[in-house]
Coordinates of all heavy atoms in Angstrom, one line a residue:
M1 N -1.4 23.6 -1.2 CA -0.8 24.8 -0.7 C -0.7 24.6 0.8 O -1.4 23.7 1.3 CB -1.3 26.0 -1.3 CG -0.6 27.3 -1.2 SD 1.1 27.3 -2.0 CE 0.7 27.5 -3.7
T2 N -0.2 25.5 1.5 CA -0.1 25.4 3.0 C 0.1 26.8 3.5 O 0.5 27.7 2.8 CB 1.1 24.5 3.4 OG1 1.0 24.5 4.9 CG2 2.3 25.0 3.0
Y3 N 0.0 27.0 4.8 CA 0.4 28.2 5.5 C 1.6 27.9 6.2 O 2.0 26.7 6.3 CB -0.6 28.6 6.5 CG -1.7 29.5 6.0 CD1 -2.7 28.9 5.1 CD2 -1.7 30.8 6.2 CE1 -3.7 29.7 4.6 CE2 -2.8 31.7 5.6 CZ -3.7 31.0 4.9 OH -4.9 31.8 4.3
V4 N 2.6 28.9 6.3 CA 4.0 28.7 6.9 C 4.3 29.7 8.0 O 3.9 30.9 7.9 CB 4.8 29.1 5.6 CG1 6.4 29.0 6.0 CG2 4.7 28.2 4.5
I5 N 4.9 29.2 9.0 CA 5.3 29.9 10.2 C 6.8 30.4 9.8 O 7.6 29.6 9.4 CB 5.1 29.3 11.4 CG1 3.7 28.8 11.7 CG2 5.7 30.1 12.6 CD1 3.4 28.1 13.0
T6 N 7.0 31.6 10.1 CA 8.4 32.2 9.8 C 9.2 32.6 11.0 O 8.7 32.5 12.2 CB 8.2 33.4 8.8 OG1 7.5 34.5 9.6 CG2 7.4 33.1 7.6
D7 N 10.3 33.3 10.8 CA 11.1 33.7 11.9 C 10.7 34.7 12.9 O 11.1 34.8 14.0 CB 12.4 34.2 11.3 CG 12.3 35.4 10.4 OD1 11.2 35.3 9.5 OD2 13.0 36.3 10.4
A8 N 9.5 35.3 12.5 CA 8.9 36.2 13.5 C 8.3 35.5 14.7 O 8.1 36.1 15.7 CB 7.8 37.1 12.8
C9 N 8.2 34.2 14.6 CA 7.7 33.5 15.6 C 8.9 32.9 16.7 O 8.6 32.7 17.8 CB 7.0 32.1 15.2 SG 6.5 31.0 16.4
V10 N 10.2 33.1 16.2 CA 11.2 32.6 16.9 C 11.4 33.4 18.3 O 11.3 34.4 18.4 CB 12.6 32.7 16.2 CG1 13.8 32.3 17.1 CG2 12.6 31.8 15.0
D11 N 11.4 32.5 19.3 CA 11.5 33.0 20.8 C 10.3 33.8 21.2 O 10.3 34.7 22.0 CB 12.8 33.9 20.9 CG 14.0 33.2 20.8 OD1 14.0 31.9 21.0 OD2 15.0 33.7 20.2
R12 N 9.1 33.5 20.4 CA 7.9 34.2 20.8 C 6.7 33.2 20.9 O 5.8 33.2 20.3 CB 7.5 35.1 19.7 CG 8.4 36.3 19.4 CD 8.3 37.4 20.5 NE 9.1 38.6 20.2 CZ 10.4 38.7 20.5 NH1 11.0 37.7 21.2 NH2 11.1 39.7 20.3
T13 N 7.1 32.1 21.6 CA 6.3 30.9 21.5 C 5.0 31.0 22.5 O 4.8 30.3 23.4 CB 7.0 29.6 21.8 OG1 7.7 29.9 23.0 CG2 7.9 29.3 20.7
D14 N 4.2 32.1 22.2 CA 2.9 32.2 22.9 C 1.9 31.1 22.6 O 1.1 30.8 23.4 CB 2.2 33.6 22.7 CG 2.0 33.7 21.2 OD1 2.9 34.1 20.4 OD2 0.9 33.4 20.7
R15 N 2.0 30.4 21.5 CA 1.2 29.3 21.1 C -0.2 29.6 20.8 O -1.1 28.8 20.9 CB 1.3 28.2 22.1 CG 2.7 27.7 22.3 CD 2.7 26.5 23.0 NE 4.3 26.0 23.2 CZ 4.4 24.7 23.6 NH1 3.6 23.9 23.8 NH2 5.7 24.4 23.6
T16 N -0.5 30.8 20.5 CA -1.9 31.4 20.3 C -2.5 30.5 19.1 O -3.7 30.1 19.1 CB -2.0 32.8 19.9 OG1 -1.4 33.5 21.1 CG2 -3.4 33.3 19.7
C17 N -1.7 30.4 18.1 CA -2.2 29.6 16.9 C -2.5 28.2 17.2 O -3.4 27.8 16.5 CB -1.0 29.6 15.8 SG 0.6 29.0 16.4
L18 N -1.9 27.6 18.1 CA -2.2 26.1 18.4 C -3.7 26.0 18.7 O -4.3 25.0 18.4 CB -1.4 25.6 19.6 CG 0.0 25.0 19.4 CD1 0.6 24.5 20.7 CD2 -0.1 23.9 18.4
D19 N -4.3 26.9 19.4 CA -5.6 26.7 19.9 C -6.6 26.9 18.8 O -7.9 26.7 19.0 CB -6.0 27.7 21.1 CG -5.1 27.4 22.3 OD1 -4.7 26.2 22.5 OD2 -4.9 28.3 23.1
H20 N -6.2 27.5 17.7 CA -7.1 27.9 16.6 C -7.1 27.0 15.5 O -7.9 27.2 14.4 CB -6.9 29.4 16.2 CG -7.3 30.3 17.3 ND1 -6.6 30.6 18.3 CD2 -8.5 31.1 17.4 CE1 -7.2 31.4 19.2 NE2 -8.4 31.8 18.6
C21 N -6.2 26.1 15.4 CA -6.1 25.1 14.2 C -7.0 24.0 14.3 O -7.0 23.2 15.2 CB -4.7 24.7 14.0 SG -4.5 23.5 12.6
P22 N -7.9 23.9 13.3 CA -9.0 22.9 13.4 C -8.6 21.5 13.1 O -9.3 20.5 13.4 CB -10.0 23.3 12.3 CG -9.2 24.1 11.4 CD -8.2 24.8 12.2
V23 N -7.3 21.4 12.6 CA -6.9 20.0 12.2 C -5.7 19.6 13.0 O -5.0 18.6 12.7 CB -6.7 19.8 10.7 CG1 -8.1 19.8 10.0 CG2 -5.6 20.9 10.1
D24 N -5.3 20.5 14.0 CA -4.1 20.2 14.8 C -2.8 19.9 14.1 O -2.3 18.9 14.4 CB -4.5 18.9 15.8 CG -3.6 18.9 16.9 OD1 -2.9 19.7 17.4 OD2 -3.5 17.6 17.5
C25 N -2.6 20.7 13.1 CA -1.4 20.4 12.4 C -0.1 21.4 12.7 O 0.8 21.5 11.9 CB -1.7 20.5 10.9 SG -2.2 22.1 10.2
I26 N -0.4 22.1 13.7 CA 0.8 23.0 14.2 C 1.5 22.3 15.4 O 0.9 22.0 16.4 CB 0.3 24.4 14.6 CG1 -0.5 25.1 13.5 CG2 1.4 25.3 15.0 CD1 -1.1 26.4 13.9
R27 N 2.8 22.3 15.3 CA 3.6 21.6 16.4 C 4.7 22.5 16.8 O 5.4 23.1 16.1 CB 4.0 20.2 15.9 CG 2.9 19.3 15.5 CD 3.3 17.9 15.4 NE 2.0 17.1 15.0 CZ 1.4 17.1 13.8 NH1 2.0 17.7 12.8 NH2 0.4 16.5 13.6
P28 N 5.0 22.4 18.1 CA 6.0 23.2 18.7 C 7.4 22.5 18.7 O 7.5 21.4 18.9 CB 5.6 23.4 20.2 CG 4.7 22.1 20.4 CD 4.2 21.7 19.2
G29 N 8.4 23.4 18.3 CA 9.7 23.1 18.5 C 10.1 23.7 19.9 O 9.2 24.1 20.6
E30 N 11.4 24.1 20.1 CA 11.8 24.7 21.3 C 11.7 26.2 21.1 O 11.4 26.9 22.0 CB 13.3 24.2 21.7 CG 13.3 22.8 22.1 CD 14.6 22.4 22.7 OE1 15.5 23.2 22.8 OE2 14.7 21.2 22.9
R31 N 12.0 26.8 19.9 CA 12.1 28.2 19.8 C 11.0 28.8 18.8 O 10.8 30.0 18.8 CB 13.4 28.6 19.2 CG 14.6 28.3 20.2 CD 15.9 28.8 19.7 NE 15.9 30.3 19.4 CZ 16.8 30.8 18.7 NH1 17.8 30.2 18.1 NH2 16.7 32.1 18.7
M32 N 10.3 27.9 18.1 CA 9.2 28.4 17.3 C 8.3 27.2 17.0 O 8.6 26.1 17.4 CB 9.7 29.1 16.0 CG 10.2 28.1 14.9 SD 10.5 28.9 13.4 CE 9.0 28.4 12.5
L33 N 7.2 27.5 16.4 CA 6.2 26.4 16.0 C 6.3 26.2 14.5 O 6.6 27.1 13.8 CB 4.8 26.9 16.4 CG 4.5 26.6 17.9 CD1 5.3 27.3 18.8 CD2 2.9 26.9 18.2
Y34 N 5.8 25.1 14.1 CA 5.8 24.7 12.6 C 4.5 24.0 12.2 O 3.9 23.3 12.9 CB 7.0 23.7 12.4 CG 8.3 24.0 13.0 CD1 8.6 23.9 14.4 CD2 9.3 24.5 12.1 CE1 9.9 24.2 14.9 CE2 10.6 24.9 12.7 CZ 10.9 24.7 14.0 OH 12.1 25.0 14.5
I35 N 4.2 24.4 10.9 CA 3.1 23.8 10.3 C 3.4 22.6 9.5 O 4.2 22.7 8.7 CB 2.3 24.9 9.6 CG1 1.7 26.0 10.5 CG2 1.1 24.4 8.8 CD1 1.2 27.3 9.7
D36 N 2.6 21.5 9.6 CA 2.7 20.3 8.7 C 1.9 20.7 7.5 O 0.8 20.7 7.4 CB 2.1 19.2 9.4 CG 2.1 17.9 8.6 OD1 2.6 18.0 7.5 OD2 1.8 16.9 9.2
P37 N 2.7 20.8 6.4 CA 2.2 21.2 5.1 C 1.2 20.1 4.4 O 0.3 20.4 3.7 CB 3.3 21.4 4.1 CG 4.4 20.6 4.7 CD 4.2 20.6 6.2
D38 N 1.4 18.9 4.9 CA 0.6 17.8 4.4 C -0.8 17.8 5.1 O -1.7 17.1 4.6 CB 1.3 16.3 4.6 CG 2.5 16.2 3.8 OD1 2.6 17.0 2.7 OD2 3.4 15.6 4.1
A39 N -0.9 18.4 6.2 CA -2.2 18.3 7.0 C -2.9 19.7 7.0 O -4.1 19.6 7.2 CB -1.9 17.9 8.5
C40 N -2.3 20.8 6.7 CA -2.9 22.0 6.7 C -3.9 22.2 5.6 O -3.8 21.7 4.5 CB -1.7 23.0 6.5 SG -2.4 24.8 6.3
I41 N -5.1 22.7 6.0 CA -6.3 22.7 5.0 C -6.4 24.1 4.6 O -7.5 24.5 4.0 CB -7.5 22.2 5.7 CG1 -7.8 23.0 6.9 CG2 -7.5 20.7 6.0 CD1 -9.3 22.7 7.5
D42 N -5.4 25.0 4.8 CA -5.4 26.4 4.3 C -6.6 27.3 4.7 O -7.2 28.1 3.9 CB -5.5 26.4 2.7 CG -4.2 25.8 2.1 OD1 -3.3 25.5 2.8 OD2 -4.3 25.5 0.9
C43 N -7.0 27.1 5.9 CA -8.2 27.8 6.5 C -7.8 29.2 6.8 O -8.7 30.1 6.9 CB -8.8 27.0 7.7 SG -7.9 27.2 9.2
G44 N -6.5 29.5 7.1 CA -6.1 30.9 7.5 C -6.4 31.3 8.9 O -6.2 32.4 9.3
A45 N -7.0 30.4 9.8 CA -7.4 30.8 11.1 C -6.1 31.2 11.8 O -6.2 32.1 12.7 CB -8.1 29.7 11.8
C46 N -5.0 30.5 11.7 CA -3.7 30.7 12.5 C -3.2 32.1 12.2 O -2.8 33.0 12.9 CB -2.7 29.6 12.3 SG -2.3 29.3 10.6
E47 N -3.2 32.4 10.9 CA -2.8 33.7 10.3 C -3.4 34.9 11.0 O -2.8 35.9 11.4 CB -2.9 33.7 8.9 CG -2.3 35.1 8.3 CD -2.7 35.3 6.9 OE1 -3.8 35.0 6.5 OE2 -2.0 36.0 6.1
Q48 N -4.7 34.8 11.2 CA -5.6 35.8 11.7 C -5.3 36.1 13.2 O -5.5 37.3 13.6 CB -7.1 35.6 11.5 CG -7.4 35.7 10.0 CD -8.9 35.1 9.8 OE1 -9.7 35.2 10.7 NE2 -9.1 34.6 8.6
V49 N -4.8 35.2 14.0 CA -4.7 35.3 15.3 C -3.2 35.6 15.8 O -3.0 35.9 16.9 CB -5.3 34.2 16.2 CG1 -6.8 34.0 15.9 CG2 -4.6 32.8 15.9
C50 N -2.3 35.4 14.9 CA -1.0 35.5 15.3 C -0.5 37.0 15.6 O -0.5 37.8 14.8 CB 0.0 35.0 14.2 SG 1.8 35.2 14.5
P51 N -0.1 37.1 16.9 CA 0.3 38.5 17.2 C 1.4 39.1 16.7 O 1.9 40.3 16.7 CB 0.3 38.4 18.8 CG 0.7 37.1 19.1 CD 0.0 36.3 17.9
Q52 N 2.3 38.2 16.1 CA 3.6 38.7 15.5 C 3.5 38.7 14.0 O 4.6 39.0 13.4 CB 4.7 37.6 15.9 CG 4.9 37.4 17.4 CD 5.4 38.6 18.1 OE1 6.1 39.5 17.5 NE2 5.2 39.0 19.3
D53 N 2.4 38.5 13.4 CA 2.3 38.4 12.0 C 3.4 37.5 11.4 O 4.1 37.8 10.4 CB 2.4 39.8 11.4 CG 1.3 40.7 11.7 OD1 0.1 40.2 11.8 OD2 1.4 41.9 11.9
A54 N 3.4 36.3 11.9 CA 4.6 35.4 11.6 C 4.1 34.4 10.6 O 5.0 33.6 10.0 CB 5.1 34.7 12.9
I55 N 2.8 34.3 10.4 CA 2.3 33.3 9.5 C 1.9 33.8 8.2 O 1.1 34.9 8.1 CB 1.0 32.6 10.1 CG1 1.6 32.1 11.6 CG2 0.6 31.3 9.3 CD1 0.4 31.5 12.4
F56 N 2.1 33.1 7.1 CA 1.8 33.5 5.7 C 1.2 32.4 4.8 O 1.7 31.2 5.2 CB 3.1 34.1 4.9 CG 3.7 35.3 5.5 CD1 4.5 35.2 6.6 CD2 3.5 36.5 5.0 CE1 5.1 36.4 7.1 CE2 4.0 37.7 5.6 CZ 4.8 37.6 6.6
F57 N 0.4 32.6 4.0 CA 0.0 31.7 3.0 C 1.3 31.5 2.1 O 2.0 32.4 1.8 CB -1.1 32.3 2.1 CG -1.7 31.3 1.1 CD1 -2.1 29.9 1.5 CD2 -1.9 31.6 -0.1 CE1 -2.6 29.0 0.7 CE2 -2.4 30.6 -1.1 CZ -2.8 29.4 -0.7
A58 N 1.6 30.3 1.7 CA 2.8 29.9 1.1 C 3.1 30.7 -0.2 O 4.2 31.2 -0.5 CB 2.8 28.4 0.7
A59 N 1.9 31.0 -1.0 CA 2.1 31.7 -2.1 C 2.5 33.2 -1.9 O 2.7 33.9 -2.8 CB 0.9 31.6 -3.1
E60 N 2.2 33.6 -0.6 CA 2.4 35.1 -0.2 C 3.6 35.3 0.6 O 3.7 36.4 1.1 CB 1.1 35.6 0.3 CG -0.1 35.7 -0.7 CD -1.4 35.8 0.1 OE1 -1.4 35.9 1.3 OE2 -2.4 35.9 -0.7
L61 N 4.4 34.3 0.7 CA 5.7 34.4 1.5 C 6.6 35.6 0.9 O 6.9 35.4 -0.3 CB 6.5 33.1 1.5 CG 6.2 32.1 2.7 CD1 7.1 30.8 2.3 CD2 6.6 32.7 4.0
P62 N 7.1 36.4 1.8 CA 7.9 37.4 1.3 C 9.2 36.7 0.8 O 9.5 35.6 1.3 CB 8.4 38.2 2.5 CG 7.1 38.0 3.4 CD 6.6 36.6 3.2
Q63 N 10.0 37.4 -0.1 CA 11.0 36.7 -0.8 C 12.3 36.3 0.3 O 12.8 35.2 0.1 CB 11.8 37.7 -1.8 CG 12.7 37.0 -2.8 CD 12.0 36.0 -3.7 OE1 10.9 36.1 -4.0 NE2 12.6 34.8 -3.9
D64 N 12.4 37.2 1.3 CA 13.4 36.9 2.2 C 13.0 35.8 3.3 O 13.7 35.5 4.2 CB 13.9 38.1 3.0 CG 12.7 38.9 3.6 OD1 11.7 38.3 3.6 OD2 13.1 39.9 4.4
R65 N 11.8 35.3 3.2 CA 11.4 34.2 4.1 C 11.0 33.0 3.4 O 10.4 32.0 3.9 CB 10.1 34.8 4.8 CG 10.5 35.8 5.9 CD 9.3 36.4 6.6 NE 9.8 37.1 7.8 CZ 8.9 38.0 8.4 NH1 7.7 38.1 8.1 NH2 9.4 38.6 9.5
Q66 N 11.4 32.8 2.1 CA 11.0 31.7 1.4 C 11.5 30.4 2.0 O 11.0 29.3 1.9 CB 11.5 31.9 0.0 CG 10.9 32.8 -0.9 CD 9.5 32.3 -1.5 OE1 9.3 31.2 -1.6 NE2 8.6 33.3 -1.6
V67 N 12.6 30.5 2.6 CA 13.3 29.2 3.2 C 12.4 28.5 4.2 O 12.5 27.4 4.4 CB 14.6 29.7 3.9 CG1 14.4 30.6 5.1 CG2 15.4 28.4 4.3
F68 N 11.4 29.3 4.8 CA 10.6 28.8 5.9 C 9.5 27.8 5.3 O 9.1 27.0 6.1 CB 10.0 29.9 6.7 CG 11.0 30.4 7.7 CD1 11.7 31.6 7.4 CD2 11.2 29.8 9.0 CE1 12.7 32.0 8.3 CE2 12.1 30.3 9.8 CZ 12.9 31.3 9.4
L69 N 9.2 27.8 4.1 CA 8.5 26.7 3.5 C 9.2 25.4 3.7 O 8.4 24.5 4.1 CB 8.2 27.0 1.9 CG 7.4 26.1 1.1 CD1 5.9 26.1 1.8 CD2 7.3 26.5 -0.3
Q70 N 10.4 25.3 3.4 CA 11.2 24.1 3.6 C 11.3 23.8 5.0 O 11.4 22.7 5.3 CB 12.5 24.4 2.9 CG 13.4 23.2 2.7 CD 14.7 23.5 2.0 OE1 14.8 24.5 1.4 NE2 15.8 22.6 2.0
V71 N 11.7 24.8 5.8 CA 11.8 24.6 7.3 C 10.7 24.0 7.9 O 10.8 23.0 8.7 CB 12.2 26.0 7.9 CG1 12.1 25.9 9.5 CG2 13.6 26.4 7.5
N72 N 9.5 24.5 7.7 CA 8.2 23.9 8.3 C 8.1 22.4 7.8 O 7.7 21.5 8.7 CB 6.9 24.7 7.9 CG 6.8 25.9 8.7 OD1 6.1 26.1 9.5 ND2 7.7 26.9 8.5
A73 N 8.2 22.2 6.5 CA 8.1 20.9 5.9 C 9.2 19.9 6.6 O 8.8 18.7 7.0 CB 8.3 20.8 4.4
E74 N 10.4 20.3 6.6 CA 11.5 19.4 7.0 C 11.3 19.2 8.6 O 11.7 18.1 9.0 CB 12.9 20.0 6.7 CG 13.1 19.9 5.2 CD 14.5 20.5 4.9 OE1 15.1 21.0 5.7 OE2 14.9 20.4 3.6
F75 N 10.8 20.1 9.3 CA 10.5 19.8 10.7 C 9.7 18.5 10.9 O 9.9 17.8 11.7 CB 10.0 21.1 11.4 CG 9.7 20.8 12.8 CD1 10.6 20.9 13.9 CD2 8.4 20.4 13.3 CE1 10.4 20.7 15.1 CE2 8.1 20.3 14.6 CZ 9.1 20.4 15.6
H76 N 8.6 18.5 10.1 CA 7.7 17.5 10.2 C 8.2 16.1 9.7 O 7.8 15.1 10.2 CB 6.3 17.8 9.6 CG 5.6 18.8 10.5 ND1 5.7 20.1 10.4 CD2 4.8 18.6 11.5 CE1 5.1 20.8 11.3 NE2 4.4 19.8 12.1
E77 N 9.0 16.1 8.7 CA 9.8 15.0 8.3 C 10.6 14.5 9.3 O 10.7 13.2 9.4 CB 10.6 15.3 7.0 CG 9.8 15.5 5.8 CD 10.6 16.2 4.7 OE1 11.8 16.3 4.7 OE2 10.0 16.8 3.8
G78 N 11.2 15.3 10.3 CA 12.0 14.8 11.4 C 11.5 15.1 12.7 O 12.0 15.3 13.7
V79 N 10.0 14.9 12.8 CA 9.3 15.4 14.0 C 9.6 14.7 15.2 O 9.4 15.2 16.3 CB 7.8 15.3 13.6 CG1 7.3 14.0 13.6 CG2 7.0 16.3 14.6
R80 N 10.2 13.5 15.0 CA 10.4 12.6 16.2 C 11.8 13.2 16.9 O 12.1 12.7 18.0 CB 10.6 11.2 15.9 CG 9.2 10.6 15.7 CD 9.2 9.1 15.1 NE 8.0 8.7 14.7 CZ 7.5 9.1 13.4 NH1 8.1 9.7 12.6 NH2 6.2 8.7 13.1
Q81 N 12.5 14.0 16.2 CA 13.8 14.5 16.8 C 13.2 15.7 17.8 O 12.2 16.3 17.5 CB 14.6 15.1 15.7 CG 15.1 14.1 14.8 CD 15.8 14.8 13.5 OE1 16.0 15.9 13.6 NE2 16.1 13.9 12.6
R82 N 14.0 15.9 18.7 CA 13.7 17.0 19.7 C 14.3 18.3 19.2 O 15.2 18.3 18.4 CB 14.3 16.7 21.0 CG 13.6 15.5 21.8 CD 14.3 15.1 23.1 NE 14.2 16.3 24.0 CZ 13.1 16.5 24.8 NH1 12.1 15.6 24.8 NH2 13.1 17.5 25.7
G83 N 13.8 19.3 19.7 CA 14.4 20.7 19.3 C 13.8 21.4 18.2 O 12.6 21.2 18.0
D84 N 14.6 22.1 17.4 CA 14.2 22.8 16.2 C 14.8 22.4 15.0 O 15.8 21.7 14.9 CB 14.5 24.4 16.5 CG 13.6 24.9 17.5 OD1 12.4 25.1 17.2 OD2 14.1 25.3 18.6
H85 N 14.3 22.8 13.8 CA 15.0 22.8 12.6 C 16.4 23.5 12.6 O 16.5 24.5 13.4 CB 14.1 23.3 11.5 CG 14.7 23.1 10.1 ND1 15.8 23.9 9.7 CD2 14.3 22.3 9.1 CE1 16.1 23.5 8.3 NE2 15.1 22.5 8.1
P86 N 17.4 22.9 12.1 CA 18.7 23.4 12.2 C 18.9 24.9 11.9 O 19.6 25.7 12.4 CB 19.6 22.6 11.4 CG 18.9 21.3 11.2 CD 17.5 21.7 11.3
H87 N 18.1 25.2 10.8 CA 18.1 26.7 10.4 C 17.6 27.6 11.5 O 18.2 28.7 11.7 CB 17.2 26.9 9.2 CG 17.0 28.2 8.7 ND1 18.0 28.9 7.7 CD2 16.2 29.2 8.9 CE1 17.7 30.1 7.6 NE2 16.5 30.3 8.2
V88 N 16.6 27.1 12.2 CA 16.0 28.0 13.4 C 17.0 27.9 14.5 O 17.2 28.9 15.2 CB 14.6 27.4 13.7 CG1 14.1 28.1 15.0 CG2 13.8 27.7 12.5
A89 N 17.6 26.7 14.9 CA 18.4 26.6 16.0 C 19.6 27.6 15.8 O 20.3 28.0 16.9 CB 18.9 25.2 16.1
A90 N 19.9 27.8 14.6 CA 21.2 28.7 14.3 C 20.9 30.2 14.4 O 21.9 31.0 14.3 CB 21.8 28.3 13.0
L91 N 19.7 30.6 14.5 CA 19.3 32.0 14.5 C 19.8 32.6 15.8 O 19.7 32.1 16.8 CB 17.8 32.2 14.3 CG 17.3 31.8 12.8 CD1 15.8 31.9 12.8 CD2 17.9 32.8 11.8
P92 N 20.1 34.0 15.8 CA 20.5 34.6 17.1 C 19.3 34.6 18.1 O 18.2 34.8 17.6 CB 21.0 36.0 16.7 CG 20.6 36.0 15.2 CD 20.3 34.7 14.7
R93 N 19.6 34.6 19.2 CA 18.5 34.7 20.4 C 17.8 36.0 20.3 O 18.5 37.1 20.0 CB 19.1 34.5 21.7 CG 19.4 33.1 22.1 CD 18.3 32.4 22.7 NE 18.3 31.0 22.7 CZ 17.4 30.1 22.7 NH1 16.2 30.4 22.8 NH2 17.7 28.7 22.6
R94 N 16.6 36.0 20.5 CA 15.8 37.3 20.6 C 15.2 37.4 22.0 O 14.7 36.5 22.5 CB 14.6 37.3 19.6 CG 15.1 37.4 18.2 CD 14.0 38.0 17.3 NE 12.8 37.2 17.4 CZ 11.6 37.6 16.9 NH1 11.6 38.9 16.4 NH2 10.4 37.0 17.0
N95 N 15.4 38.6 22.7 CA 14.9 38.8 24.0 C 13.3 39.1 24.0 O 12.9 39.6 23.0 CB 15.6 40.0 24.7 CG 17.1 39.7 24.9 OD1 17.4 38.4 25.2 ND2 17.9 40.6 24.7
Ligands
SF4_1 S1 0.6 32.8 17.3 FE1 2.4 33.3 16.0 S2 4.0 34.0 17.3 FE2 2.5 32.8 18.5 S3 3.2 30.8 18.4 FE3 1.9 30.9 16.8 S4 3.2 31.5 15.0 FE4 4.4 31.9 16.9
SF4_2 S1 -4.1 27.6 7.9 FE1 -5.7 26.4 9.3 S2 -5.2 24.4 9.0 FE2 -3.4 25.3 8.3 S3 -2.1 25.5 10.0 FE3 -3.4 27.4 9.9 S4 -5.2 26.9 11.3 FE4 -4.2 25.0 10.8

């Protein structure tokens, strides 16, 4: 299993979670951060510190955010590309 970052992080890149991950498996795109599901050890530290409540245990993802399981995984499959996952890049800007 893994934890998953969702759209509540988009355009809110304070990066608080980065400093709390013990295995350094959270990586930044341009508009949000993404968790590497193969490296995440399910400790839950990131979920507890996220000010946007953007992070969920995969098994507890709300129905309307299920797509972000795939988005986080696919970002790391293409991690050498710059920018964001296409699903995130297409979301409307938030101020
Ligand atoms: S702490 Fe939450 S809102 Fe901040 S960068 Fe991490 S996932 Fe995004
Ligand atoms: S659950 Fe733990 S290991 Fe997984 S991304 Fe969050 S802080 Fe890192």
Side-chain angles (χ1 to χ4, degrees):
M1 205 51 83
T2 180
Y3 277 71
V4 176
I5 300 180
T6 66
D7 55 319
C9 176
V10 173
D11 300 328
R12 299 285 185 273
T13 51
D14 55 278
R15 302 190 178 199
T16 305
C17 53
L18 272 184
D19 295 334
H20 289 79
C21 180
V23 294
D24 194 24
C25 70
I26 304 175
R27 299 200 175 80
E30 289 185 7
R31 297 183 61 197
M32 70 170 265
L33 278 62
Y34 305 82
I35 293 173
D36 181 350
D38 293 333
C40 175
I41 60 169
D42 297 348
C43 73
C46 55
E47 178 194 32
Q48 291 172 25
V49 298
C50 176
Q52 301 294 332
D53 294 329
I55 305 176
F56 294 83
F57 188 48
E60 296 168 355
L61 265 175
Q63 200 58 39
D64 60 355
R65 288 173 166 170
Q66 291 286 332
V67 67
F68 283 92
L69 184 58
Q70 194 178 341
V71 164
N72 280 251
E74 288 181 353
F75 177 82
H76 285 89
E77 290 165 11
V79 75
R80 288 173 191 82
Q81 298 169 7
R82 294 176 63 84
D84 285 293
H85 185 282
H87 179 84
V88 173
L91 291 174
R93 283 268 162 207
R94 295 200 303 164
N95 293 323

